[in-house]
Amino acid sequence: MQLPPALQPWAEPLSVLDAELAVALGPLVRQLDQLITRQDLGAGTHGPLDGYDGITRQGSPTRMLISEWALADAVPDEFLRRAVNAELLYLEPSYQQDRARASMAVLVDTGPDQLGAARLVQLATLIVLLRRAAARGQDLSLGVLTATPGAWLTGDPKHLLHKWLTSRTPTDPSPTAVAAWTTAPAEETDTNFDEVWVLAGSRLAKALPGTRRVLVTRECAWDEAGATAAEVRLAGDRVELALPRHDLGIRALRGAALRPAAGSSGVPTGARFGTFTGSPRRLIARGNESDELVALTLTGNPKTRPKQYKLPGPVLAAGCFSRRTMALFLQDGHLQIRSFGKTLGRLNQLSVPLSDLELTDADINDLAELDLPALYFASGAVIFRLGAHWWRLFPGDPAMPADVIAVATGDKLDEPLQAERYGEDVVVSPAWARLANTERVILGRDNLVARFDGDSWWLRQVHHASDATEFALEIPTGAEPFGVLTLDNEPSVLCHTKSDGTTQLCTIDGHRTLTHLPRAHRTPSLHPFDPLLALELGDRIDVVDLSDGSLVATLRGDE
């Protein structure tokens, strides 16, 4: 890939990206390099010259860029204006004497506070740090703040950037996570780093007063399509960065701008956020871009290939109904349904303005960075969750908020299980069981219901409204319940611990960690009817049969 001369210092890490994005990120990379250089105490200030280490706005005429001399010849007034305002560019010299050959690491906040524009700044910053580490003869180590402290990622730029792209999490990291990472040794190398950078949002940065090398990013300018500029602060220094075009930014954050390896098809599925959304044994996931879906039917044949679906706009929710795969997407400012297979009811006529949901295109771009919500069909309408809110859409009607706190696949295609608020109670239909003192509910097959009353989790099996027998559950500290099922004839609740990626099985007799399962980067997805669990492992999604621990299928991100 041929880059402009000004980007040649970063040619190796930029070669991971396609040419268009690499050039578009160039201004961000150069400005961030200058910002970081000013705060880099390891950079030499005198001694034998060791080449050049970037571009600066200070220097002697002998180190002025040739483009500035060309400007002086063609537009002398502009040259003088830049000189007066200290805007001329010079080569930054590098010296041998003071440069610390220190090991480098970077910790990244991949939570909601760093979605969208901030992620693009993180990408450009990683390019800068990869080059600086290579110049010191070191590898850059990457740590994701919501992962297990000490589980540093290393490897070539393509490997690290892929891991970073797949590390998005729905929760923000805590300040204690930064402390845990900076004190925990690396699992494999037992290395304590000399230099650790933290890429964070404003919320986390405010809780880290006095911490050095914290690069803080927030959006600072917008147009109708989203953010156009970002403010970056580092140790009292501030710079405002113009962002690449929206379409390029979205491609970059979907992983579509990563250049394929030699010999690959160049059309990876990029499967992420795998989930079971209906009764069929079919795993559905987001693809490389926001308008793509990937579906893998679990046939038992290892040669079964995933199907890739292209929609006219960003996908907001999806569901599997018998042989159909259906998707809710945004096109021309309206929510619409596309059915791959025979349509259901009059859903092909559904067209609801996005404004009915009080959302913007920028909101949709952010939501497309998160998990893939399930789409449910009930009495001619669809029910789905966007962010923290549930919605019900019916063809020909405006969007209506759905007063539910949980929905799950039912025995009948058009009759999902629903937990709805009635006054101060929650009613689970179609069994019409009434739950008092309930904040959260998880619904499952065999009429299983797990509920949280604000203090404890309870498990019950309902068959009609008079059922009232329930059992208290002991949930491990730090674990989050996400599914209910009957396993070995025993009602159970599945939990996931985000800090270490483990999965726990909780019953009325206690709980145990399912040590035979791999550690999942995100909350696993449980099939509504079968004991099948989908676990996202960064470069692939494994489907495991909980009844015997066998691996049923694998959906790889590069298939």
Side-chain angles (χ1 to χ4, degrees):
M1 178 174 63
Q2 187 64 37
L3 290 172
L7 295 182
Q8 285 302 318
W10 303 276
E12 182 178 355
L14 283 175
S15 66
V16 174
L17 310 175
D18 66 29
E20 189 177 17
L21 178 63
V23 172
L25 281 179
L28 279 75
V29 169
R30 290 168 58 183
Q31 289 179 272
L32 287 167
D33 187 80
Q34 295 172 30
L35 178 66
I36 289 173
T37 297
R38 292 195 291 269
Q39 302 296 329
D40 184 8
L41 301 184
T45 57
H46 61 282
L49 184 66
D50 189 24
Y52 295 98
D53 192 34
I55 296 172
T56 181
R57 291 184 179 178
Q58 297 178 347
S60 68
T62 59
R63 291 190 283 105
M64 189 184 299
L65 296 186
I66 193 171
S67 59
E68 303 290 14
W69 289 114
L71 182 67
D73 182 60
V75 193
D77 290 344
E78 174 62 14
F79 176 84
L80 291 174
R81 187 196 67 78
R82 292 191 182 188
V84 169
N85 290 283
E87 295 178 3
L88 295 176
L89 300 178
Y90 304 83
L91 291 173
E92 174 77 14
S94 176
Y95 302 99
Q96 293 180 358
Q97 180 173 323
D98 295 339
R99 177 172 293 279
R101 303 295 176 179
S103 55
M104 291 180 60
V106 57
L107 292 170
V108 290
D109 172 359
T110 59
D113 196 27
Q114 290 286 276
L115 288 176
R119 293 274 288 173
L120 286 174
V121 174
Q122 284 192 5
L123 174 58
T125 306
L126 291 174
I127 296 292
V128 171
L129 295 178
L130 281 164
R131 183 252 178 166
R132 296 175 72 81
R136 299 180 182 187
Q138 302 282 347
D139 289 329
L140 180 68
S141 295
L142 173 70
V144 178
L145 284 169
T146 51
T148 305
W152 295 96
L153 303 171
T154 58
D156 59 41
K158 185 177 181 66
H159 175 78
L160 278 186
L161 292 181
H162 175 75
K163 291 294 186 182
W164 167 78
L165 276 171
T166 58
S167 65
R168 289 179 293 267
T169 55
T171 56
D172 291 315
S174 65
T176 56
V178 178
W181 273 92
T182 52
T183 56
E187 288 182 349
E188 297 181 0
T189 61
D190 195 32
T191 299
N192 290 315
F193 298 99
D194 300 299
E195 186 175 313
V196 179
W197 295 84
V198 181
L199 311 186
S202 300
R203 286 197 288 266
L204 178 59
K206 288 178 181 178
L208 301 172
T211 305
R212 293 188 59 248
R213 297 192 180 95
V214 178
L215 192 141
V216 186
T217 304
R218 70 175 185 89
E219 298 173 0
C220 64
W222 302 264
D223 62 14
E224 62 278 2
T228 59
E231 178 194 75
V232 180
R233 290 181 285 113
L234 177 62
D237 212 345
R238 176 189 177 277
V239 64
E240 187 171 312
L241 305 176
L243 300 173
R245 296 195 326 257
H246 294 295
D247 59 323
L248 282 177
I250 291 172
R251 287 184 62 240
L253 298 181
R254 299 287 183 272
L258 286 181
R259 300 178 73 197
S264 74
S265 65
V267 190
T269 61
R272 54 200 176 97
F273 298 109
T275 183
F276 291 112
T277 62
S279 59
R281 292 167 63 96
R282 188 179 307 136
L283 179 70
I284 195 166
R286 292 193 182 276
N288 271 327
E289 303 195 21
S290 61
D291 58 357
E292 293 178 352
L293 285 177
V294 181
L296 177 63
T297 300
L298 308 181
T299 63
N301 183 351
K303 295 184 178 180
T304 301
R305 301 289 295 175
K307 292 184 178 179
Q308 191 165 9
Y309 302 107
K310 190 78 169 179
L311 282 302
V315 177
L316 304 184
C320 297
F321 304 91
S322 185
R323 297 181 179 180
R324 311 170 183 86
T325 297
M326 299 183 63
L328 177 73
F329 63 95
L330 178 68
Q331 183 180 25
D332 299 328
H334 286 71
L335 302 181
Q336 302 179 44
I337 292 284
R338 173 70 59 85
S339 177
F340 298 94
K342 187 177 180 181
T343 189
L344 284 174
R346 295 189 296 115
L347 292 182
N348 61 326
Q349 302 174 25
L350 188 143
S351 182
V352 177
L354 181 61
S355 56
D356 280 9
L357 281 67
E358 299 181 351
L359 294 173
T360 65
D361 288 344
D363 295 328
I364 296 302
N365 289 334
D366 287 345
L367 289 169
E369 291 287 332
L370 302 175
D371 61 331
L372 179 64
L375 190 66
Y376 300 97
F377 179 67
S379 304
V382 288
I383 304 173
F384 61 98
R385 174 184 54 81
L386 278 186
H389 303 287
W390 286 88
W391 295 91
R392 190 186 307 270
L393 305 183
F394 190 86
D397 290 349
M400 295 290 294
D403 194 19
V404 299
I405 62 173
V407 184
T409 302
D411 291 330
K412 296 181 180 179
L413 184 145
D414 63 344
E415 194 175 88
L417 308 177
Q418 300 182 58
E420 304 178 70
R421 289 209 175 275
Y422 280 86
E424 296 182 356
D425 294 341
V426 171
V427 174
V428 178
S429 61
W432 301 108
R434 185 174 293 270
L435 309 176
N437 302 320
T438 299
E439 293 185 7
R440 286 187 55 198
V441 171
I442 302 175
L443 305 174
R445 204 180 185 195
D446 300 326
N447 298 298
L448 285 176
V449 176
R451 71 177 186 89
F452 182 64
D453 63 8
D455 294 313
S456 304
W457 278 92
W458 300 81
L459 182 64
R460 65 189 294 173
Q461 196 163 23
V462 297
H463 292 283
H464 49 77
S466 61
D467 284 340
T469 303
E470 61 180 4
F471 305 92
L473 293 174
E474 182 183 349
I475 304 298
T477 302
E480 185 69 20
F482 66 87
V484 293
L485 77 164
T486 299
L487 194 62
D488 296 331
N489 296 317
E490 187 172 19
S492 308
V493 173
L494 284 172
C495 302
H496 178 249
T497 302
K498 295 179 181 178
S499 61
D500 60 11
T502 56
T503 302
Q504 294 81 28
L505 185 73
C506 303
T507 68
I508 59 177
D509 296 322
H511 62 80
R512 60 187 174 91
T513 298
L514 302 180
T515 55
H516 64 284
L517 296 181
R519 300 190 177 197
H521 291 181
R522 300 189 179 96
T523 303
S525 176
L526 176 66
H527 191 279
F529 288 179
D530 300 320
L532 302 176
L533 194 64
L535 302 110
E536 189 157 348
L537 308 177
D539 60 343
R540 70 185 192 276
I541 302 170
D542 281 355
V543 178
V544 177
D545 189 333
L546 293 172
S547 62
D548 58 13
S550 62
L551 179 65
V552 176
T554 294
L555 179 59
R556 297 192 177 276
D558 56 355
E559 285 190 291

